[in-house]
Amino acid sequence: MPAFRIAPAVTDAFPDTLIALVTATGLRAREPWPHTATALEDLEQQLADGTWQPADDSDPRIEAWHTAYRSFGTNPRRIRPSVDALGRRLAKKGTLPRINPAVDSYNAVSVRRGLPAGAFDLAHVTGDVDIRYADGTESFTPLGEPDTVEQPKPGEIIYADADTVLTRHWNHRDAHRTRVTEDSTHVAFALETLHATRDGALLAAAVEDLQGLLAPHTTQTAVHYLSPAGPEATI
């Protein structure tokens, strides 16, 4: 089983980081997920009614990620953190994308709680996964662009396994190789905050939300946390 690790240099720079890894084993993504469908529809209806809005640039949860992006040389208004981009899309179009039930589930949780979320098909992860600063020699193939190869800039924070980069700009975009599809059966979902002291309870609520959506459609879920005090977990 792979280990996920946060590099010491990253925890030194972001000492209040907390990442929840929710693993799902025996995922069944080809059956109906009515609770996920309802979660998406409820968010869209609340937005239409004016009773709720996704977190925007003025929200401290989004501001924290913008500050982090700038610290490693990424312009967050051009290359946005995933939760920022998702919330902006929802606010503009009034709807969230429908990809597949597993992806739709973490998107719903992410935008509802204002926290970045992503996922990796563990069947396509090679070796362990490190959250670290790029050295500029790595390669990355963006989700949906299997013929494209990019090189992260030195100093950019990435998720990387033994072969390639799995996520650029910390949580901006996932890789094509480890994308979650309807055929994925063993998946690791990542939920993140840079301010555990302030938002640790919010992260726990997001984990509970996600497990609730996953539970009817998987054999087992488990949760592991990464932090400066516990920077490694085998999942």
Side-chain angles (χ1 to χ4, degrees):
M1 304 301 290
F4 278 65
R5 294 184 290 259
I6 311 179
V10 175
T11 57
D12 287 347
F14 304 98
D16 208 18
T17 297
L18 185 62
I19 299 174
L21 298 170
V22 180
T23 58
T25 305
L27 203 62
R28 302 183 299 276
R30 289 193 172 275
E31 63 190 27
W33 288 37
H35 296 299
T36 294
T38 298
L40 295 172
E41 291 162 4
D42 285 350
L43 286 173
E44 292 164 354
Q45 188 60 54
Q46 290 168 28
L47 178 65
D49 292 343
T51 58
W52 172 86
Q53 285 194 340
D56 61 17
D57 292 6
S58 66
D59 190 288
R61 292 167 293 179
I62 304 300
E63 284 183 330
W65 286 105
H66 281 208
T67 300
Y69 271 42
R70 292 189 187 98
S71 77
F72 54 78
T74 296
N75 183 342
R77 297 189 182 279
R78 295 181 58 193
I79 298 172
R80 292 186 177 272
S82 63
V83 63
D84 185 14
L86 189 64
R88 288 170 65 86
R89 175 173 177 165
L90 174 58
K92 181 178 180 180
K93 296 189 174 182
T95 59
L96 286 164
R98 269 60 167 180
I99 309 299
N100 61 60
V103 173
D104 295 350
S105 294
Y106 78 71
N107 278 345
V109 172
S110 175
V111 75
R112 180 185 177 201
R113 298 297 184 179
L115 301 173
F120 310 99
D121 185 332
L122 292 173
H124 299 287
V125 170
T126 303
D128 296 335
V129 176
D130 289 288
I131 304 162
R132 59 175 175 82
Y133 286 98
D135 61 23
T137 65
E138 301 90 351
S139 63
F140 174 76
T141 296
L143 177 65
E145 301 180 35
D147 298 322
T148 299
V149 178
E150 301 174 354
Q151 275 192 302
K153 296 178 181 179
E156 179 185 315
I157 293 181
I158 57 174
Y159 278 67
D161 69 4
D163 286 345
T164 58
V165 173
L166 307 185
T167 303
R168 282 198 67 184
H169 308 283
W170 199 320
N171 51 37
H172 166 68
R173 193 170 186 186
D174 291 341
H176 190 76
R177 172 168 57 93
T178 52
R179 71 195 184 280
V180 175
T181 72
E182 290 183 343
D183 295 319
S184 300
T185 59
H186 190 197
V187 174
F189 300 84
L191 300 160
E192 304 168 324
T193 179
L194 293 172
H195 288 280
T197 303
R198 182 190 67 206
D199 293 332
L202 188 66
L203 183 67
V207 167
E208 186 175 352
D209 291 345
L210 182 58
Q211 283 190 291
L213 294 175
L214 295 172
H217 311 287
T218 189
T219 303
Q220 182 179 359
T221 65
V223 183
H224 302 271
Y225 286 94
L226 301 179
S227 69
E232 180 172 343
T234 300
I235 64 173

